[in-house]
Amino acid sequence: GQQVMQIPQYQHVQEGEDFTTYCNSSTTLSNIQWYKQRPGGHPVFLIQLVKSGEVKKQKRLTFQFGEAKKNSSLHITATQTTDVGTYFCADSNTGNQFYFGTGTSLTVIP
Amino acid sequence: ETGVTQTPRHLVMGMTNKKSLKCEQHLGHNAMYWYKQSAKKPLELMFVYNFKEQTENNSVPSRFSPECPNSSHLFLHLHTLQPEDSALYLCASSQGQWGEKLFFGSGTQLSVL
């Protein structure tokens, strides 16, 4: 399977600070999806990016897909305690084989 | 609720036991998946079924045996597992088309003693 790396592995931020996680692949990604997994929960779909250079926003969350379609980022502005969890990117190379990144665990300190 | 139900939520088994994990989806999806999530590793894709046909077996040991009797049900039969198989096993479903999102169940937390 493909290997999609995410950095950082862990991130602790003070509430109100911004947070960014990066997803990198050595090969071109067909599309990129982002999921959030709350502690003790299961991954929940956030968004999908398909086009080179695409940028999408969901309230305080901004998602970007690199021009070369080899990397993506998720940026959270002014974090809140409800943002706590692990954020995964996932690539669907062909058909329905979804390969997940290593994940970034976010802790928000009140 | 995501529309994907997994049972049991927790399972403790010995290495010589045989047990089965069950997954049912109520979303009318055509594809179902098994993922393994360990503490130190990312989500690992184990098996994919599309329209009841297995389309992916990601080098999973034979002590894990999947079964997909129809598009709504997926089983993972477990036999002579090892302690390193202890993990959260997640079932997911999707429409089965390219680029469709995954809907996950709550998972089965498995402990092998």
Side-chain angles (χ1 to χ4, degrees):
Chain A
Q2 301 190 162
Q3 184 121 23
V4 182
M5 302 302 296
Q6 277 185 256
I7 53 170
Q9 189 174 359
Y10 302 97
Q11 184 79 57
H12 291 68
V13 299
Q14 206 73 35
E15 188 173 17
E17 291 181 339
D18 292 356
F19 159 77
T20 305
T21 174
Y22 301 90
C23 183
N24 299 297
S25 172
S26 57
T27 59
T28 302
L29 302 168
S30 50
N31 66 21
I32 195 87
Q33 297 183 347
W34 285 92
Y35 290 78
K36 176 184 178 182
Q37 185 174 20
R38 293 181 186 274
H42 55 272
V44 175
F45 174 82
L46 293 176
I47 208 158
Q48 177 172 270
L49 304 171
V50 179
K51 298 177 183 175
S52 167
E54 190 171 12
V55 177
K56 287 187 177 180
K57 293 192 175 187
Q58 288 181 349
K59 297 183 180 178
R60 295 177 295 104
L61 277 62
T62 301
F63 303 84
Q64 285 191 298
F65 204 2
E67 293 290 341
K69 299 183 77 173
K70 287 188 175 182
N71 56 73
S72 181
S73 66
L74 158 58
H75 179 82
I76 302 179
T77 304
T79 55
Q80 300 175 359
T81 54
T82 53
D83 295 325
V84 165
T86 302
Y87 293 84
F88 294 97
C89 60
D91 171 47
S92 168
N93 55 357
T94 56
N96 46 11
Q97 297 171 27
F98 292 82
Y99 292 97
F100 280 76
T102 45
T104 296
S105 176
L106 172 64
T107 300
V108 179
I109 304 162
Chain B
E1 284 297 326
T2 63
V4 181
T5 304
Q6 285 187 248
T7 55
R9 291 296 304 273
H10 302 273
L11 178 62
V12 179
M13 60 186 289
M15 288 190 284
T16 58
N17 291 160
K18 287 184 182 181
K19 295 286 184 184
S20 295
L21 309 185
K22 179 182 176 182
C23 178
E24 184 174 359
Q25 59 95 359
H26 311 276
L27 301 168
H29 288 165
N30 298 311
M32 297 188 76
Y33 311 74
W34 281 115
Y35 280 88
K36 175 184 178 183
Q37 188 173 35
S38 306
K40 306 280 184 184
K41 294 184 179 180
L43 281 158
E44 299 174 66
L45 178 63
M46 299 175 73
F47 301 104
V48 181
Y49 278 83
N50 203 5
F51 291 94
K52 303 187 299 179
E53 298 296 321
Q54 189 178 113
T55 58
E56 176 78 2
N57 176 341
N58 208 17
S59 302
V60 180
S62 59
R63 56 186 185 268
F64 295 91
S65 175
E67 179 190 359
C68 188
N70 54 61
S71 293
S72 299
H73 294 86
L74 185 65
F75 297 89
L76 188 62
H77 304 299
L78 315 172
H79 178 48
T80 58
L81 294 191
Q82 305 298 312
E84 60 264 29
D85 296 321
S86 298
L88 179 67
Y89 288 85
L90 289 160
C91 173
S93 71
S94 74
Q95 288 282 9
Q97 316 254 341
W98 180 84
E100 289 292 329
K101 61 186 178 184
L102 293 174
F103 291 79
F104 282 88
S106 300
T108 295
Q109 187 65 54
L110 173 67
S111 297
V112 182
L113 304 179

